[in-house]
Amino acid sequence: MEDYQTINRVSWDERAPAHAASPDYSVENFVSDPEFLSKVVTFDLPLLGDIAGLRGVHLQCHIGTDTISLARLGASMTGLDFSPAAIAQARELAARTGADAAFVEADAYDAADVLGRAAFDLVFTGIGALCWLPNVRRWAGVVADLLRPGGRLFIREGHPMLWALDDTRKDGLLAVEFAYFEREEPLVWEEGGTYVQTDVTFEHNVSYSWNHGLGEIVTALLDVGMELTGLTEHDSVPWEAMPGKMEQIGGGEWRLADRPWRVPHSYTLQAVKRG
Ligand SMILES: C[S@@+](CC[C@H](N)C(=O)[O-])C[C@H]1O[C@@H](n2cnc3c(N)ncnc32)[C@H](O)[C@@H]1O
């Protein structure tokens, strides 16, 4: 395998400024309205509950819009991402909004080494994060290392079943074409676009990703001493995961237009580190 981190990072570095400029990330709304929250965090609120006063870390925070939303809910946030361009955008937004949010450039697997062990009450991540990491057991170890005993993981993520589907068949059928379970070999994609509206043409379009089955994710967390406290599957996802086959249902959520009850679109998993 080629160096997946470098290949993926150059792709994210190129996309970060385009995402910050896209209306879909609503960066200017954060500046003009001190109460504004990202649609992702707004969706999470009922399950997230009160996070005021918590020391939170947002793994794979991208340009910081969700991180800053969590800070606006009263948590003291640290965002971590391996893309210097994404971290630069996040820092700029934190400075413009005066948010209680610091941003650190590092690989997700190095988060506990860089940020400290047992240093956080809350690990928040997801929405296109786990798929960039080859090994979910290693990720779970990082989550457990970051949390103090009693600390909590909150992840809402694209569902591995959704990611196993090929939606590009000419007959319109959805086919289970890609791995559901984690495999050593990555899925190699070459795609020119991105998941938000933009006129920017990108040069770095190859990315490496991995799927992780729901049972693999849960078991990895149990094996590092986390206790599962919630697992909810949703019939929507906050990006147009299957272009042309989904409809917007409000709140930034997308759902299959045809019989959406066939397939889970995303899930929210919560777990607590045993004391
Ligand atoms: C889809 S974005 C996360 C989206 C985020 N939920 C949002 O919408 O703002 C994925 C992020 O993961 C980061 N990333 C990918 N692989 C990583 C790694 N190995 N370590 C740290 N960050 C990584 C990318 O730089 C990118 O910012």
Side-chain angles (χ1 to χ4, degrees):
M1 197 202 319
E2 285 181 81
D3 172 6
Y4 77 91
Q5 281 131 322
T6 304
I7 287 167
N8 286 347
R9 191 168 50 235
V10 294
S11 163
W12 285 110
D13 280 344
E14 208 184 3
R15 281 158 180 78
H19 289 182
S22 166
D24 292 329
Y25 266 102
S26 308
V27 162
E28 292 309 319
N29 295 54
F30 281 90
V31 179
S32 61
D33 177 1
E35 313 262 297
F36 186 81
L37 300 178
S38 69
K39 291 192 172 106
V40 165
V41 169
T42 302
F43 180 97
D44 290 339
L45 275 176
L47 289 172
L48 188 61
D50 183 9
I51 59 165
L54 298 187
R55 296 162 301 165
V57 57
H58 181 188
L59 295 179
Q60 298 174 247
C61 65
H62 199 43
I63 60 172
T65 47
D66 296 338
T67 327
I68 288 170
S69 301
L70 296 168
R72 286 183 169 182
L73 295 173
S76 181
M77 290 303 301
T78 302
L80 178 140
D81 201 285
F82 77 166
S83 159
I87 289 294
Q89 293 293 338
R91 284 183 180 147
E92 188 183 325
L93 186 58
R96 291 179 74 201
T97 56
D100 180 6
F103 290 94
V104 174
E105 180 192 321
D107 193 274
Y109 285 154
D110 298 330
D113 296 333
V114 173
L115 301 177
R117 280 156 214 280
F120 295 95
D121 307 302
L122 172 71
V123 172
F124 179 97
T125 188
I127 309 303
L130 273 193
C131 58
W132 307 112
L133 304 178
N135 187 314
V136 76
R137 298 182 68 80
R138 194 168 167 197
W139 165 83
V142 173
V143 169
D145 283 349
L146 286 165
L147 287 169
R148 62 152 171 91
R152 166 185 175 211
L153 166 69
F154 186 103
I155 173 170
R156 182 184 179 212
E157 188 54 283
H159 200 287
M161 196 57 233
L162 185 80
W163 279 335
L165 296 176
D166 177 14
D167 61 318
T168 62
R169 282 168 58 123
K170 287 202 173 64
D171 60 12
L173 290 177
L174 297 176
V176 184
E177 202 55 51
F178 305 112
Y180 172 84
F181 294 110
E182 180 179 301
R183 302 187 71 222
E184 203 170 315
E185 282 304 301
L187 286 162
V188 181
W189 303 97
E190 177 143 22
E191 287 172 336
T194 184
Y195 52 87
V196 295
Q197 297 173 59
T198 179
D199 295 330
V200 177
T201 305
F202 300 111
E203 280 176 24
H204 300 288
N205 297 320
V206 176
S207 64
Y208 285 14
S209 69
W210 292 263
N211 210 354
H212 314 285
L214 202 52
E216 291 174 328
I217 297 165
V218 170
T219 303
L221 289 165
L222 295 177
D223 285 352
V224 292
M226 304 285 295
E227 189 179 318
L228 195 68
T229 55
L231 180 56
T232 308
E233 292 174 304
H234 307 286
D235 66 357
S236 68
V237 69
W239 74 93
E240 192 182 10
M242 298 189 173
K245 289 193 164 53
M246 303 187 98
E247 59 190 10
Q248 281 183 285
I249 58 165
E253 295 290 310
W254 294 80
R255 185 152 67 195
L256 273 176
D258 178 21
R259 293 166 292 156
W261 53 88
R262 285 178 292 167
V263 59
H265 292 47
S266 61
Y267 66 90
T268 300
L269 184 157
Q270 296 194 67
V272 169
K273 183 171 171 179
R274 284 197 211 99

mmCIF file of all heavy atoms in Angstrom, residues 3 24 41 48 71 90 103-104 136 141 192 194 213 226 237 256:
data_model
loop_
_atom_site.group_PDB
_atom_site.id
_atom_site.type_symbol
_atom_site.label_atom_id
_atom_site.label_comp_id
_atom_site.label_asym_id
_atom_site.label_seq_id
_atom_site.Cartn_x
_atom_site.Cartn_y
_atom_site.Cartn_z
ATOM 1 N N ASP A 3 1.568 5.265 0.843
ATOM 2 C CA ASP A 3 1.387 5.993 2.093
ATOM 3 C C ASP A 3 -0.006 6.634 2.094
ATOM 4 O O ASP A 3 -0.212 7.705 1.548
ATOM 5 C CB ASP A 3 2.503 7.034 2.202
ATOM 6 C CG ASP A 3 2.280 7.953 3.367
ATOM 7 O OD1 ASP A 3 1.335 7.725 4.152
ATOM 8 O OD2 ASP A 3 3.059 8.907 3.492
ATOM 9 N N ASP A 24 -22.499 25.454 2.184
ATOM 10 C CA ASP A 24 -22.938 24.297 2.967
ATOM 11 C C ASP A 24 -22.301 24.233 4.359
ATOM 12 O O ASP A 24 -22.866 23.629 5.266
ATOM 13 C CB ASP A 24 -22.647 22.999 2.205
ATOM 14 C CG ASP A 24 -23.528 22.885 0.972
ATOM 15 O OD1 ASP A 24 -24.657 23.396 1.015
ATOM 16 O OD2 ASP A 24 -23.069 22.316 -0.036
ATOM 17 N N VAL A 41 -24.379 19.230 14.650
ATOM 18 C CA VAL A 41 -24.500 19.280 16.119
ATOM 19 C C VAL A 41 -25.950 19.535 16.528
ATOM 20 O O VAL A 41 -26.420 18.981 17.529
ATOM 21 C CB VAL A 41 -23.519 20.328 16.700
ATOM 22 C CG1 VAL A 41 -23.799 20.592 18.172
ATOM 23 C CG2 VAL A 41 -22.076 19.844 16.519
ATOM 24 N N LEU A 48 -27.085 14.119 22.610
ATOM 25 C CA LEU A 48 -25.853 14.650 23.216
ATOM 26 C C LEU A 48 -26.119 15.169 24.624
ATOM 27 O O LEU A 48 -25.326 14.946 25.542
ATOM 28 C CB LEU A 48 -25.318 15.771 22.313
ATOM 29 C CG LEU A 48 -23.959 16.355 22.616
ATOM 30 C CD1 LEU A 48 -22.871 15.285 22.515
ATOM 31 C CD2 LEU A 48 -23.663 17.513 21.645
ATOM 32 N N ALA A 71 -18.293 23.971 21.466
ATOM 33 C CA ALA A 71 -17.816 25.006 22.395
ATOM 34 C C ALA A 71 -18.959 25.966 22.746
ATOM 35 O O ALA A 71 -19.080 26.408 23.891
ATOM 36 C CB ALA A 71 -16.645 25.756 21.779
ATOM 37 N N ALA A 90 -9.912 26.183 10.690
ATOM 38 C CA ALA A 90 -10.554 26.062 12.006
ATOM 39 C C ALA A 90 -10.035 27.138 12.959
ATOM 40 O O ALA A 90 -10.810 27.778 13.680
ATOM 41 C CB ALA A 90 -10.299 24.660 12.573
ATOM 42 N N PHE A 103 -7.027 24.181 18.271
ATOM 43 C CA PHE A 103 -6.935 23.221 17.175
ATOM 44 C C PHE A 103 -5.499 22.732 17.021
ATOM 45 O O PHE A 103 -4.561 23.531 17.032
ATOM 46 C CB PHE A 103 -7.462 23.845 15.880
ATOM 47 C CG PHE A 103 -8.951 24.045 15.938
ATOM 48 C CD1 PHE A 103 -9.494 25.264 16.338
ATOM 49 C CD2 PHE A 103 -9.812 22.995 15.653
ATOM 50 C CE1 PHE A 103 -10.867 25.445 16.436
ATOM 51 C CE2 PHE A 103 -11.184 23.169 15.750
ATOM 52 C CZ PHE A 103 -11.711 24.388 16.135
ATOM 53 N N VAL A 104 -5.372 21.416 16.877
ATOM 54 C CA VAL A 104 -4.066 20.758 16.867
ATOM 55 C C VAL A 104 -3.956 19.908 15.610
ATOM 56 O O VAL A 104 -4.889 19.169 15.277
ATOM 57 C CB VAL A 104 -3.918 19.873 18.129
ATOM 58 C CG1 VAL A 104 -2.637 19.067 18.084
ATOM 59 C CG2 VAL A 104 -3.980 20.733 19.387
ATOM 60 N N VAL A 136 -10.004 -0.153 13.093
ATOM 61 C CA VAL A 136 -10.939 0.414 14.083
ATOM 62 C C VAL A 136 -10.518 0.066 15.506
ATOM 63 O O VAL A 136 -10.816 0.804 16.448
ATOM 64 C CB VAL A 136 -12.390 -0.025 13.766
ATOM 65 C CG1 VAL A 136 -12.652 -1.468 14.163
ATOM 66 C CG2 VAL A 136 -13.391 0.914 14.439
ATOM 67 N N GLY A 141 -8.671 2.190 20.801
ATOM 68 C CA GLY A 141 -7.642 2.337 21.831
ATOM 69 C C GLY A 141 -7.313 3.802 22.078
ATOM 70 O O GLY A 141 -7.123 4.230 23.226
ATOM 71 N N GLY A 192 -13.341 13.497 -8.576
ATOM 72 C CA GLY A 192 -12.938 14.898 -8.704
ATOM 73 C C GLY A 192 -13.662 15.853 -7.785
ATOM 74 O O GLY A 192 -13.146 16.912 -7.474
ATOM 75 N N THR A 194 -16.499 16.894 -4.435
ATOM 76 C CA THR A 194 -16.545 16.808 -2.987
ATOM 77 C C THR A 194 -18.004 16.776 -2.575
ATOM 78 O O THR A 194 -18.889 16.749 -3.438
ATOM 79 C CB THR A 194 -15.778 17.969 -2.325
ATOM 80 O OG1 THR A 194 -15.772 17.774 -0.904
ATOM 81 C CG2 THR A 194 -16.378 19.334 -2.658
ATOM 82 N N GLY A 213 -17.390 -2.720 10.097
ATOM 83 C CA GLY A 213 -18.730 -3.191 10.431
ATOM 84 C C GLY A 213 -19.156 -2.688 11.810
ATOM 85 O O GLY A 213 -18.318 -2.420 12.677
ATOM 86 N N MET A 226 -14.595 0.136 27.223
ATOM 87 C CA MET A 226 -15.719 1.070 27.110
ATOM 88 C C MET A 226 -17.018 0.290 27.305
ATOM 89 O O MET A 226 -17.126 -0.872 26.905
ATOM 90 C CB MET A 226 -15.737 1.734 25.723
ATOM 91 C CG MET A 226 -14.466 2.466 25.340
ATOM 92 S SD MET A 226 -14.230 4.039 26.175
ATOM 93 C CE MET A 226 -15.602 4.986 25.546
ATOM 94 N N VAL A 237 -28.748 10.920 6.676
ATOM 95 C CA VAL A 237 -27.309 11.157 6.779
ATOM 96 C C VAL A 237 -27.095 12.623 6.362
ATOM 97 O O VAL A 237 -27.837 13.126 5.520
ATOM 98 C CB VAL A 237 -26.566 10.137 5.849
ATOM 99 C CG1 VAL A 237 -26.796 10.411 4.389
ATOM 100 C CG2 VAL A 237 -25.111 9.984 6.151
ATOM 101 N N LEU A 256 -32.659 8.412 1.274
ATOM 102 C CA LEU A 256 -33.012 7.774 0.000
ATOM 103 C C LEU A 256 -34.445 8.133 -0.355
ATOM 104 O O LEU A 256 -35.337 8.045 0.492
ATOM 105 C CB LEU A 256 -32.916 6.252 0.124
ATOM 106 C CG LEU A 256 -31.576 5.597 -0.126
ATOM 107 C CD1 LEU A 256 -31.682 4.102 0.152
ATOM 108 C CD2 LEU A 256 -31.102 5.845 -1.555
#
